[in-house]
């Protein structure tokens, strides 16, 4: 079992930046894939990006060139750097974990954090 805690959300103007953190405890962090998903009001949970155990990454087209994911295995933490934010990025952001390699479907992931709200004003 993995416990995940997100932090770093908030209110920012369009064009601004935020950095989210996902701190993990429990299972061996190094062997985990950590994905970020988001959910806007009235919509389903949407894949944003993932960093696999090897450090390889995959991004949704909507965030390519604006968002960057990185992991610090010594700190058991994954970071989501969000730049050039748009109002359509407004959502609750969740991190999720699974073994080794993560895909784009929420059902693949075994463990979830409680989420952190990101609001981008126009």
């Amino acid at each position: 079992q993995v416990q995940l805690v997100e932090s770093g959300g908030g209110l920012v103007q369009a064009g601004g930046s935020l950095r989210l953190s996902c701190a993990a405890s429990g299972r061996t962090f190094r062997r985990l894939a950590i994905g970020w998903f988001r959910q806007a009001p009235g919509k389903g949970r949407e894949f944003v990006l993932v960093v696999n155990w090897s450090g390889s990454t995959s991004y949704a087209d909507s965030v390519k060139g604006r968002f960057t994911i990185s992991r610090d295995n010594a700190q058991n933490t994954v970071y989501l750097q969000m730049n050039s934010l748009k109002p359509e990025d407004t959502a609750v952001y969740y991190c999720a974990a699974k073994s080794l390699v993560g895909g784009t479907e929420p059902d693949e992931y075994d463990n979830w954090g409680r989420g952190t709200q990101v609001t981008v004003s126009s």
Side-chain angles (χ1 to χ4, degrees), residues 92-119:
V92 177
Y93 282 70
Y94 300 89
C95 65
K98 70 178 298 289
S99 293
L100 299 179
V101 178
T104 62
E105 294 298 324
D107 289 347
E108 298 181 44
Y109 293 79
D110 306 312
N111 299 278
W112 290 81
R114 293 189 175 185
T116 185
Q117 176 71 47
V118 171
T119 303

Side-chain angles (χ1 to χ4, degrees), residues 25-93:
S25 61
R27 287 164 55 187
T28 305
F29 182 77
R30 292 178 181 273
R31 294 185 60 79
L32 294 176
I34 304 292
W36 283 93
F37 291 78
R38 63 188 181 186
Q39 188 164 18
K43 295 188 177 182
R45 200 160 288 191
E46 175 190 26
F47 170 77
V48 180
L49 34 63
V50 62
V51 59
N52 296 311
W53 76 281
S54 63
S56 63
T57 57
S58 180
Y59 293 76
D61 288 343
S62 59
V63 305
K64 281 181 181 176
R66 301 189 298 123
F67 291 12
T68 304
I69 191 169
S70 61
R71 65 188 300 156
D72 184 341
N73 288 339
Q75 298 295 324
N76 285 9
T77 302
V78 167
Y79 301 100
L80 172 56
Q81 179 66 43
M82 305 187 295
N83 299 326
S84 303
L85 282 161
K86 305 175 181 180
E88 51 264 44
D89 294 319
T90 296
V92 177
Y93 282 70

